[in-house]
Each structure stands twice: as structure tokens, then as C-alpha cells.
Amino acid sequence: MATPSSPSTPPNIVLTGFMGVGKSAVGREVAARLGRPFVDLDDLIEQNAGMSINDIFASKGEAHFRALERLTLRELAAQQGMVIATGGGALVDPANREMMARTSLVICLTASVSAIEARIGDAADRPLLTGPNKQQRIMVLMQQRAAAYAEIPYWIDTTDKTIAQVADAVIALAESGLGGILRLPVSLPDGSGYDILLGAGLLTEAPALLQERGLGDQVVVVSDEHVAPHWSAPLLEALARAGMRATLVTLPAGEAHKNLASIARLYDEFLAAGLDRSGLVMALGGGVVGDMAGFAAATYLRGVRFVQVPTSLLAMVDASVGGKTGVDLPQGKNLVGAFKQPELVMIDPDLLATLPPEEFRNGLAEVVKHGIIEDERLFAQLEGDGPASMESMIARALRVKIGVVERDPFEQGERAHLNLGHTFAHAIERVSDYAIPHGQAVGLGLIAAARLAAARKLCAPDVPQRIHAVVARLGLPTTLSGSGYDPAAIVAAMTTDKKRQGGKVRFVLPRAIGDVGVYDDVSEAEALAAVESLLGP
Ligand SMILES: NC(=O)c1ccc[n+]([C@@H]2O[C@H](COP(=O)([O-])OP(=O)(O)OC[C@H]3O[C@@H](n4cnc5c(N)ncnc54)[C@H](O)[C@@H]3O)[C@@H](O)[C@H]2O)c1
Ligand SMILES: [Zn+2]
């Protein structure tokens, strides 16, 4: 996601996306308004080849076309200051994408299937769309490209927008110094959805983002004693400047206060502020604040709208996605709660500046977890020089969680993958009487799960070694040696884990970095060996 920002050499603006999103028309408009040259990649390929794209496909095949495309893109990437529209498939190739990202602001234009169908009209001149049932072809092709487009940092939706309006948005992004807002859309099972927005400085842009979405004019901001002193004033001042009525509720910080007494306090404060059904609850805090504010919003007046501004790394990459909210009871964690989807999640990585380093490392354990579940490249970045930026690390980790919860919104299958390392972690936390923080326990749990998997020959022997090395590198403990905990007690604590189903403890185990599976046939002896490996010298 590296983007040059020297003012003397404006980077290229590259518009990509599916056919029919208006890349060329928008590109021409943007170029004209900024006084920059415009290049349509497909036109350039046709010029260079001396034949139409249809003829290239027909006479030489798609592979030949893609080779020409790559060569032409390389020429363009070497230049600066241009506005470039690419064919919809051009940036599906990761090498092409990375080449362009080095010198260009790459923006993906999107649109709904029906908008695309209406815009492309007769598909006779679209080599990939010939044949019956055009809508189905569009959907299949979109699906094939979804993963590649998801890698592109900036998205602009063009459905219901004019060319001029989309051009406005492109120019705004270009002029924002390239530190624009990354948008990660989340789809919900009922067909609706919400946005996760990610960008430095987003906190003070919150009022405009709320107003754009018609999210009311009254807000109760829920925060805690650690976060509010740093971040509530800029937020409340920005809300007041925008003419919104904003009230702050500051709860005591920490898991010990994630209880029904705090929820009762929130109801009192909501009533005192006169919050009605048109109002909004905004969580400004870590996972504890998010879980409580969300649960209060789900239940107050049978539900008011809810927005998350996560402030801890754990909340940014994990707790703020998926709609789970709730509180602890004296008998156990998260025993009361509700599914409550937010209207919007705004992630401002600048807020991490005040997060204690230990809490940051705790959040990193979940980032590692997401890499092992599904993003080998994220994991490799953590092993190597690190992700290009905080934003890119958060975005990659988030995409894993978004993908899993979208595919399994009601926790019936795949969502179990998110418990990787957690069967061990919860037991370790419990046996330590919560002296070992969750993130540290997760780091240990990831190592134990990988060792168990390697012992079963589910994964190669280097998988536990690589996980151990990354956990150590991030400053998280990799051993319980010297702690004096009884391995048998840790294994016993696992069997009372609430995740157990049908009397069997289920383990999520890595098969490779980026691929995990759920196993319910792990014997106590195997689990014990894995725990003992953590306690050994
Ligand atoms: N809903 C979900 O899907 C989900 C998923 C994972 C975890 N959780 C829940 O999240 C909670 C853990 O979240 P957490 O680790 O964020 O805990 P937390 O909210 O307690 O935050 C950790 C500590 O950091 C402080 N803090 C947070 N952001 C700060 C900032 N920017 N500056 C200074 N201090 C800051 C907090 O006040 C707290 O002391 C647990 O209760 C867990 O059950 C929920
Ligand atoms: Zn966790």
C-alpha cells in the first residue's frame, strides 16, 4: 500500500474495477478537471497491437492479451501524473497490482450487478460476457475477481452516482494527500450491510461521516476512564461543531466492569440525556466498551442505532466486527448478550498512540491468529519486515474476520475458525486466575495448537516453529516454563470450556499457514502433550 506523496510528482491515478463501473468516463472527466493526460489501458493495448481487443482474444487467446496488458502496464507504471483507466481484469494479477500501487493511487470503482447490467447494455463487444444469461455471467465473473479487488485499498461505489459525482470523489481522494479513507463493506445475511472505514484522522471526520449516512443528530458517546481523557474532547468538539447534540458517558475501565451494573448505568445515562429511538449510541473504546455500548444499544428502547469507534488494536481487528455484544456474569464471561450490528465502524489508527504497549501486543496476537487462519501473506509480513503500514496490517487482519463472519453470520460452522488457539488460551487464562492477559494466552495457544497439529502430521514441522518465532518476535511470551501451573489442570479447564459441543472439546488446528480445520477427536493425551510443551524448558 506504499504510495508516494512528493508534491512535485503527482502519482498516477489508476481507476480499475468491473466492466460498466465507468472507469473510462470517470477517468476522462478527472483528467480534464485536473489538467492531466488520460490513458485508457485497453485503447493503448489496441494501438500497440494494431488490432482490437476482441480480435486479440479471438486470434491469440486471453493469455496473450494478459501478457500485452502486463507490458503496457509496466510502461505506464514508470510514468507519473497520469490518469489511467484499466480493463476490469488488469489488476487481478497481484504482480500488476503491486507494480501500480508503487507509483499510483489505485482506486476500485464498484457498482451493483443490476447497475452494471443496465450500463453495459448489449454485451456483444465484451469478450468475457458473450453467451446466454448475462446477469449470471456478471455475477460469476465478479465473484472470481472479488478477492483481487478486495486487495485494492480505495473503493468508490458508483451505483446511483453521476460521472461528475464519482469524479468529485476520485479528486477528493487524490487531494487528501493519498491518506484517504479505506472502505471495507460488510454484508449482512438479510442483504443489508454496513461500512468499516479505516483511515488516520478519521475521529474528527466522524460527524460528517455520520451525517452523510443520516445517522441522526443526537449521539451518546460511551467511553472509559483510560480512553476518554485522550480522545473524547476532540470527538465531542467535532460533533458539537457539526451541530449534533452529544453527551459523554465515561465508564470505569476494564473487564471487571463489563457487567450488568454498568449496563444499568448506561440506561440511566441514556434516559437522562433524553436519547430517543432516533438517537445513536457510539462506542469509543476497546472491546469492553464496544461490547457494553453495543448491548445497551441493542436493548435500550428495544434497540437504538449503534456506531463503533474502536480504540484498542484488539477491538479494531476483532471485537468491532461480527455483531456480538454483551457482558459477563459472576459465573462466567460473555454469558449475557445479543447480536447487534453497527451502522458504521470508524477505525482511526492514530488512536493507538495512547494504547499501552502491552495492550497493543495483546491485539497483535489476534492479528497473528487471523494470518494463520487465512492470510499467509499477512503472516509472512509479520515474519519479515512487517506490514507496509499500520493501516495495511489492520485492513488485512480485518478482512479475514469480515470474510469469516460474512460466510457464517450465525456461528454455525466456519466462525469456529476464529477460536484458533483459544481453547488453550481460555484454559490458561482460567488456571492463571486471569493473571495472564488474553492476548498473551492466545499467543501461547497458537503455539500449542500448532504443536498439536504437527504431532498429528496435519501440518509440516516448520509451522509450529514459524508461529513460535512470530509470537516471540512480537514480544509475547512463548512459554509458561517456571510458572508452576499444572498441565493437567489446564487440560481439565479445557473440558469445561463453553465452546465444547456434544461433550467433545473442539480444537481448531492449522494445516498450513493460511489454512485451518476443526477437529473434535483430539485425545486428552494429545492436548496434555501440547500443554506440557509450553511448560517444558
Ligand atoms: N464482540 C466480539 O466479537 C469480541 C471479540 C473479541 C473480544 N471481545 C471482548 O473484548 C474485550 C477485550 O477487548 P480489549 O482488549 O480492547 O479490552 P479493553 O476494552 O479492556 O481495553 C484494554 C485496555 O486498554 C485501554 N485502552 C483501549 N484503547 C485505548 C487507547 N486508545 N488509549 C489508551 N487506553 C486504551 C482500556 O481502557 C483498557 O484498559 C473482552 O471483554 C472480550 O470479551 C469481544
Ligand atoms: Zn481472542
Side-chain angles (χ1 to χ4, degrees):
M1 222 192 276
T3 37
S5 55
S6 159
S8 54
T9 50
N12 298 321
I13 297 173
V14 175
L15 301 176
T16 190
F18 207 72
M19 59 189 79
V21 294
K23 299 177 292 271
S24 299
V26 171
R28 260 186 212 100
E29 169 98 13
V30 169
R33 284 208 232 155
L34 296 178
R36 299 220 215 153
F38 172 72
V39 179
D40 183 301
L41 177 68
D42 285 354
D43 289 351
L44 196 58
I45 294 171
E46 290 188 334
Q47 260 175 39
N48 291 348
M51 64 170 100
S52 74
I53 290 187
N54 262 349
D55 289 345
I56 302 175
F57 264 81
S59 64
K60 310 211 160 137
E62 181 169 354
H64 182 78
F65 171 75
R66 295 293 171 208
L68 290 179
E69 194 176 56
R70 188 156 46 246
L71 277 176
T72 318
L73 269 176
R74 192 173 303 157
E75 283 166 28
L76 291 174
Q79 307 183 42
Q80 297 214 304
M82 286 185 300
V83 179
I84 303 164
T86 77
L91 300 195
V92 167
D93 175 34
N96 285 354
R97 227 167 33 234
E98 276 165 26
M99 179 167 73
M100 294 319 284
R102 275 196 285 277
T103 51
S104 310
L105 166 66
V106 183
I107 302 173
C108 183
L109 302 184
T110 64
S112 67
V113 173
S114 48
I116 287 174
E117 198 186 7
R119 284 181 201 164
I120 61 180
D122 176 15
D125 61 340
R126 308 271 180 180
L128 293 175
L129 276 197
T130 44
N133 200 345
K134 188 165 43 143
Q135 189 172 11
Q136 207 181 341
R137 286 289 301 144
I138 293 174
M139 275 161 45
V140 169
L141 201 52
M142 267 184 154
Q143 179 63 30
Q144 286 167 354
R145 292 183 177 172
Y149 289 158
E151 293 284 320
I152 293 163
Y154 300 106
W155 287 35
I156 296 172
D157 185 20
T158 67
T159 316
D160 307 325
K161 286 203 186 93
T162 63
I163 305 256
Q165 285 169 328
V166 180
D168 286 342
V170 171
I171 291 169
L173 200 54
E175 288 179 346
S176 71
L178 301 189
I181 299 173
L182 175 54
R183 171 176 164 267
L184 300 159
V186 182
S187 314
L188 297 174
D190 64 0
S192 67
Y194 63 92
D195 283 341
I196 299 181
L197 303 178
L198 170 60
L202 216 60
L203 183 72
T204 48
E205 289 177 44
L209 296 167
L210 295 176
Q211 284 172 337
E212 261 172 28
R213 288 166 174 76
L215 288 171
D217 52 17
Q218 184 181 16
V219 187
V220 176
V221 177
V222 179
S223 191
D224 77 20
E225 281 164 345
H226 295 159
V227 176
H230 298 291
W231 302 109
S232 65
L235 174 62
L236 270 93
E237 280 158 20
L239 290 166
R241 267 199 308 278
M244 298 173 84
R245 270 185 303 144
T247 318
L248 174 68
V249 182
T250 305
L251 295 170
E255 187 76 29
H257 300 279
K258 191 173 125 175
N259 56 28
L260 290 168
S262 296
I263 298 298
R265 155 104 191 272
L266 287 179
Y267 296 147
D268 280 346
E269 300 272 6
F270 292 174
L271 285 166
L275 187 72
D276 64 22
R277 304 257 346 233
S278 67
L280 187 71
V281 172
M282 188 188 244
L284 173 70
V288 166
V289 164
D291 280 9
M292 287 200 288
F295 182 62
T299 45
Y300 176 75
L301 303 181
R302 296 195 182 83
V304 294
R305 291 176 300 176
F306 172 50
V307 166
Q308 298 247 38
V309 182
T311 64
S312 69
L313 181 60
L314 180 138
M316 290 179 186
V317 301
D318 190 350
S320 65
V321 192
K324 287 208 238 170
T325 69
V327 295
D328 304 333
L329 295 179
Q331 292 88 337
K333 281 194 61 172
N334 297 322
L335 290 180
V336 175
F339 276 96
K340 170 74 177 171
Q341 301 294 347
E343 304 294 320
L344 179 68
V345 180
M346 291 177 276
I347 301 180
D348 182 346
D350 286 354
L351 306 192
L352 295 172
T354 58
L355 183 70
E358 189 196 348
E359 294 297 346
F360 184 73
R361 285 194 290 270
N362 287 337
L364 283 174
E366 310 286 353
V367 175
V368 177
K369 180 189 82 173
H370 289 181
I372 301 169
I373 292 174
E374 213 177 78
D375 189 343
E376 193 187 357
R377 203 160 127 220
L378 171 62
F379 188 89
Q381 287 174 342
L382 297 170
E383 282 179 313
D385 297 337
S389 64
M390 187 72 79
E391 272 101 326
S392 79
M393 182 183 80
I394 295 170
R396 294 196 80 100
L398 258 174
R399 281 188 175 116
V400 173
K401 174 126 190 200
I402 293 170
V404 172
V405 302
E406 277 184 346
R407 290 188 295 269
D408 181 15
F410 301 115
E411 241 184 336
Q412 285 160 336
E414 187 186 344
R415 197 142 160 178
H417 290 181
L418 297 170
N419 281 326
L420 176 67
H422 279 60
T423 306
F424 290 102
H426 290 144
I428 292 168
E429 287 178 86
R430 206 171 302 148
V431 167
S432 80
D433 207 9
Y434 296 92
I436 297 183
H438 180 68
Q440 294 189 13
V442 171
L444 292 162
L446 294 173
I447 295 169
R451 287 181 180 157
L452 202 167
R456 296 192 138 205
K457 305 219 172 351
L458 272 177
C459 66
D462 73 328
V463 168
Q465 288 159 10
R466 289 175 70 190
I467 293 175
H468 181 280
V470 165
V471 171
R473 182 161 203 218
L474 298 177
L476 290 159
T478 56
T479 170
L480 285 170
S481 157
S483 65
Y485 299 133
D486 174 10
I490 295 175
V491 173
M494 283 180 204
T495 57
T496 58
D497 195 287
K498 80 174 159 109
K499 300 284 174 340
R500 108 195 165 138
Q501 289 191 351
K504 283 189 173 152
V505 185
R506 299 162 83 214
F507 285 83
V508 184
L509 301 175
R511 298 191 280 234
I513 302 294
D515 180 27
V516 298
V518 182
Y519 298 84
D520 63 5
D521 60 344
V522 173
S523 69
E524 269 194 41
E526 286 176 283
L528 187 64
V531 172
E532 279 172 343
S533 81
L534 294 175
L535 280 140

